[in-house]
Amino acid sequence: MDDNTPLLLIVDAANVVGSVPDGWWRDRRGAAERLRDRLAADGLPGHAGPVEIVLVVEGAARGVESVPGVRVESAPGSGDDHLVQVVDAARAADRACLVVTADRELRRRVTELGAEVTGPRAVRE
């Protein structure tokens, strides 16, 4: 891996948004947009190096637009399956990646592909 290549941070939007009962279920798209904007402003708190951020959205949050600093990918079907595809592509490109999710099955799938994982608090605080 090239040390100059930014860390690829892949965020499971549905899981991170759903980790805090703040009424997100009334406006899933709006909740995903607020998360996107927080990621664009704050990046990965505590990480000193460059970060490339991919926010994977699904369901009612599909269609959320990318902004400078955050590429949004709308999963055509399962958000988890799409996120695994993003990790697999990163692995093929020899990219270090960190996945943000608390979903146990998704964590298992991406660690089998060599990704590191962390929970939603890493980007919520």
Side-chain angles (χ1 to χ4, degrees):
M1 264 175 251
D2 181 354
D3 288 339
N4 294 323
T5 303
L7 171 67
L8 182 60
L9 179 69
I10 307 167
V11 181
D12 178 356
N15 189 266
V16 173
V17 164
S19 69
V20 175
D22 61 1
W24 59 264
W25 51 89
R26 290 188 294 265
D27 181 11
R28 294 169 195 256
R29 184 183 177 118
E33 289 171 339
R34 288 187 298 278
L35 174 58
R36 175 206 59 199
D37 294 347
R38 185 177 326 112
L39 290 167
D42 300 339
L44 178 59
H47 182 76
V51 178
E52 177 184 347
I53 302 172
V54 176
L55 180 66
V56 176
V57 298
E58 62 184 310
R62 279 189 197 104
V64 168
E65 304 268 336
S66 295
V67 296
V70 180
R71 183 175 87 232
V72 179
E73 294 203 9
S74 293
S78 160
D80 290 359
D81 290 346
H82 188 77
L83 196 144
V84 168
Q85 290 174 349
V86 174
V87 170
D88 199 34
R91 179 182 67 158
D94 202 27
R95 293 279 310 269
C97 62
L98 176 64
V99 174
V100 181
T101 187
D103 181 309
R104 282 187 223 162
E105 175 61 15
L106 180 57
R107 289 169 78 100
R108 182 194 63 76
R109 291 173 68 189
V110 298
T111 56
E112 286 178 356
L113 294 173
E116 297 290 324
V117 293
T118 191
R121 286 185 183 174
V123 296
R124 296 255 354 168
E125 296 179 344

